[in-house]
Amino acid sequence: MRKIFLRMMISYLLVFPVSSLLYASDYYEDPMVGLSSRLTGMGGLHAAYADGFTTIYTNPAGFFESGEEVSWGEITLGLKGPIFSIADAIIGGDTDLTSIGDLLTGIYAGLGLSGPLSFGYVGNGLGLGIIGTSDVLLSSYTPLAATARVRQDLLLVGGYSFPINIMPEGHRLDGGVLLKGGFRGELEAEVTAVDIQDFDPSQFTDDEPFAFINLIGMDLGLLYSWQDRLFVGLTGKDVYTPTSKKNYASLQAFLDGDAELSQEYGVVPFTLNIGTRYLLDLSEKNLFISTVNFYLDYADLLDFWLYPTLAVNPVLHVSLGAELTMLRILAVRLGFSEGLPAAGIGVNLKWFTLNASMFGTERSTEPGMSPVYNLQLGFEFRY
């Protein structure tokens, strides 16, 4: 029975996403995922990562391996680009149009927030979560004007992992499935140097088009381990995640219950990811260093075939990561993702964990063409 189920899961990972392309979609929707300054500090999402509540973002087959953890709140703030310069221009109000225009030209800056809504449980093969995230992005490809996008997401997930008893002693194989549903509100508007100089938030929310998106989907995963030391993970993210997008004249029109102007149907692109993890456990030797984890991943194996218009250089799919934990309290992290370095630090203060990271993301389809550096700071209340 386990062998039959394993064959079925592999078939779904490889065949179902291809068959889903036969259904027409109007657009591709960005996936919903919370911020994690721990993961970004060591190269992003890793398919073989399984450690606590954050496993919800990586591989549903890791709910056994991760151990038990309850999340009862989180505040993770992410910054990208010259966000402080923009804030000075808005708050100060005395910046001349030429200076603001120069600032807008070619800009890519944003602010993201996960929490404080971040409740859930992972452990004993079970994973549950309710996660809220907010995101503001300002981007420009033309002089003197930019596009401002504001998003608010609410993601609900529930999944289960289980052992697949076909391995010899010392080896283990787990499978997992994660069901998810989500809601997204999105405002998008064109802003000019004059708009920033005379910034009025109420005008932005009252006059600009508003979109309400809902989705329902599924992730699948496999996690192999050898002697609790070497791990190999395979995940199918958004194996089939259709979306529905309703467009309204404004946010107020949506709140007033007015009829939508139009409706579109889309899909969150499927990604097939593979990765390895090697754990060096030194805790029993009473050394200063407790554990060391090494990660190597290749993300989105099939993008060139399934979504050629979204495909990027294969180098951007490779990620490396390392996490060194000292005395079970202090963690130092290094990573490499999208052709750019990453680094982070974490401090476990019993009642909450403080994580900080700095990392790069690539806006273009080729390495080094348009890099953006980011900062994240997170306070995670978990036990």
Side-chain angles (χ1 to χ4, degrees):
M1 184 67 181
R2 300 286 185 179
K3 292 182 179 180
I4 295 175
F5 189 88
L6 178 60
R7 293 192 187 103
M8 291 176 59
M9 178 170 288
I10 294 175
S11 298
Y12 270 107
L13 283 171
L14 298 178
V15 177
F16 195 85
V18 177
S19 65
S20 70
L21 295 177
L22 299 176
Y23 297 90
S25 60
D26 299 320
Y27 72 105
Y28 294 132
E29 186 66 45
D30 293 335
M32 294 187 187
V33 62
L35 306 180
S36 172
S37 50
R38 178 181 181 184
L39 290 175
T40 53
M42 54 181 182
L45 302 180
H46 296 288
Y49 174 95
D51 189 4
F53 183 73
T54 318
T55 308
I56 284 177
Y57 302 145
T58 57
N59 190 339
F63 295 154
F64 267 118
E65 178 64 31
S66 72
E68 289 187 274
E69 186 171 70
V70 176
S71 174
W72 54 278
E74 173 184 358
I75 299 175
T76 297
L77 177 66
L79 303 174
K80 64 182 71 175
I83 191 69
F84 295 111
S85 299
I86 299 171
D88 288 340
I90 294 174
I91 297 172
D94 56 354
T95 305
D96 61 85
L97 291 178
T98 302
S99 299
I100 298 178
D102 293 340
L103 182 64
L104 286 180
T105 302
I107 196 171
Y108 187 85
L111 183 150
L113 178 69
S114 271
L117 179 62
S118 180
F119 301 121
Y121 166 81
V122 166
N124 296 317
L126 185 65
L128 302 169
I130 302 176
I131 303 149
T133 61
S134 306
D135 180 76
V136 180
L137 179 66
L138 187 67
S139 59
S140 171
Y141 296 95
T142 59
L144 303 178
T147 299
R149 188 197 68 198
V150 180
R151 280 179 176 173
Q152 177 66 54
D153 293 351
L154 179 64
L155 180 64
L156 298 88
V157 297
Y160 181 71
S161 65
F162 44 85
I164 302 175
N165 297 321
I166 61 172
M167 308 300 290
E169 185 177 353
H171 302 261
R172 176 175 177 146
L173 182 64
D174 292 339
V177 58
L178 182 75
L179 302 179
K180 54 188 176 182
F183 305 95
R184 168 175 287 166
E186 182 175 276
L187 278 167
E188 189 169 302
E190 294 294 323
V191 296
T192 65
V194 175
D195 296 327
I196 290 184
Q197 189 179 48
D198 302 320
F199 185 68
D200 183 358
S202 62
Q203 183 178 1
F204 180 78
T205 57
D206 291 343
D207 298 339
E208 303 301 335
F210 174 78
F212 181 75
I213 300 117
N214 59 71
L215 63 82
I216 184 168
M218 175 176 61
D219 295 345
L220 295 175
L222 293 170
L223 183 64
Y224 162 81
S225 64
W226 172 70
Q227 296 185 354
D228 293 325
R229 184 179 302 172
L230 177 65
F231 302 83
V232 179
L234 179 69
T235 62
K237 306 288 290 183
D238 297 297
V239 173
Y240 183 51
T241 304
T243 66
S244 172
K245 180 179 182 180
K246 295 183 178 181
N247 300 298
Y248 295 85
S250 65
L251 175 60
Q252 191 59 47
F254 169 74
L255 297 176
D256 292 341
D258 296 349
E260 67 269 15
L261 300 177
S262 62
Q263 186 168 0
E264 303 172 85
Y265 297 95
V267 64
V268 177
F270 164 75
T271 58
L272 182 65
N273 311 317
I274 188 169
T276 62
R277 168 193 173 207
Y278 184 80
L279 169 63
L280 186 60
D281 190 347
L282 305 174
S283 56
E284 295 182 356
K285 297 184 178 181
N286 297 318
L287 298 176
F288 182 68
I289 298 175
S290 304
T291 59
V292 183
N293 282 283
F294 299 97
Y295 296 90
L296 171 62
D297 284 69
Y298 190 91
D300 208 356
L301 285 161
L302 305 177
D303 69 329
F304 66 94
W305 180 36
L306 298 179
Y307 307 100
T309 59
L310 303 178
V312 299
N313 190 300
V315 173
L316 300 181
H317 292 309
V318 178
S319 64
L320 301 168
E323 181 181 50
L324 184 149
T325 305
M326 292 173 280
L327 300 178
R328 303 180 183 273
I329 298 175
L330 178 66
V332 178
R333 304 168 184 128
L334 294 173
F336 179 85
S337 179
E338 298 186 20
L340 298 166
I345 191 170
V347 183
N348 187 342
L349 300 175
K350 186 177 180 180
W351 298 109
F352 70 92
T353 300
L354 170 65
N355 289 310
S357 65
M358 181 186 71
F359 60 101
T361 52
E362 179 58 55
R363 295 174 58 196
S364 72
T365 60
E366 297 295 331
M369 294 293 292
S370 183
V372 175
Y373 283 93
N374 313 264
L375 296 173
Q376 283 187 5
L377 178 65
F379 298 86
E380 300 173 353
F381 301 91
R382 296 170 183 170
Y383 64 91

